[in-house]
Amino acid sequence: MSVPAAHLSSMKQSPPSAGKLWLVGAGPGDPDLLTLRAARLLATADIVVHDGLVGAGVLALIPPHVERISVAKQRSRHTMKQDVINALLVREALSGKQVVRLKGGDPFIFGRGGEELDAAREAGVACEVVPGITAAAGCAAQAGLPLTHRDDASAVSFVAGQCRDLSDQDWSGLAGHGRTLVIYMGLATASAIADKLIADGVSPDLPVAVIERGTTADARVMRSLLTDLGDLVAREKVKSPALIVVGKVAARADALDCLGAPGIAAKIRDFT
Ligand code: SAH
């Protein structure tokens, strides 16, 4: 029986390297919110490649002998392009290392973990994903803001506020009665987001919460109404990372009421 040529050539290849890539969620900031698996991998990795969202407390858990590379990205400035990061991860794993790619929150929620997994698969690198607590879950927990509630919301959506062609994105039906909309990366476009939702028919009086640096000791939680969202972000000089929650549940947040326009606090109270 003849052996197909493709099979022969794969038999000639060198055995798979023992290197491996782990796409690890670091959670939203507080090191106590790491999974046990993530903590174990940080202790046993050869190299940790992390982004800028990973909290200092989490980075402090990486033993000093473990090589560490930051590929921090900012909205306006990409220090390392995604394909360069992908190539770095693949190269290190192919050289036989245990590579931990540490990402804020969960690797598969606005984390480009899918692209890194694709790159690993294409290169034949073994890759495993370790989920993390995404910012929405961590921030909501800290703010005492249930993302779903039997009385208020039976659906929750996560959207990226800083996405290509915001105005072309169809968000209709994602916010409004019985729904919670969580916006990641929405600070720079907060005003445009509020306008877009209101134009789609969402009530301008729907409560919103803005949570800055959620799960950390210096977190700030602010509440207002959708109509005030852009002003609130400007007035309070909200800084990244911050999350915006739109929906009736936002009125339940344990938060400062903000508070520019008169009557907002009373209107929020009407929802609670
Ligand atoms: N993969 C991450 C999200 C990356 S996108 C996750 O699952 O959480 C980056 C955005 O996440 C930030 O712009 C911000 O909107 C949100 N974010 C991340 N950490 C946060 C935090 N500690 N507090 C508030 N928002 C946070």
Side-chain angles (χ1 to χ4, degrees), residues 28-29 53 103-111 133-136 139 183-186 211-216 240-243:
L53 265 184
K103 305 169 81 72
D106 180 85
F108 280 175
I109 308 262
F110 306 128
I133 293 182
T134 190
C139 293
I183 302 153
Y184 288 65
M185 298 172 280
I211 307 164
E212 181 187 62
R213 293 188 300 269
T215 79
T216 68
S240 187
L243 206 69

Side-chain angles (χ1 to χ4, degrees), residues 84-103:
V84 178
I85 297 174
N86 295 349
L88 167 74
L89 298 174
V90 163
R91 190 173 62 242
E92 294 291 341
L94 287 177
S95 78
K97 290 186 189 161
Q98 304 300 306
V99 182
V100 167
R101 171 70 173 113
L102 191 61
K103 305 169 81 72

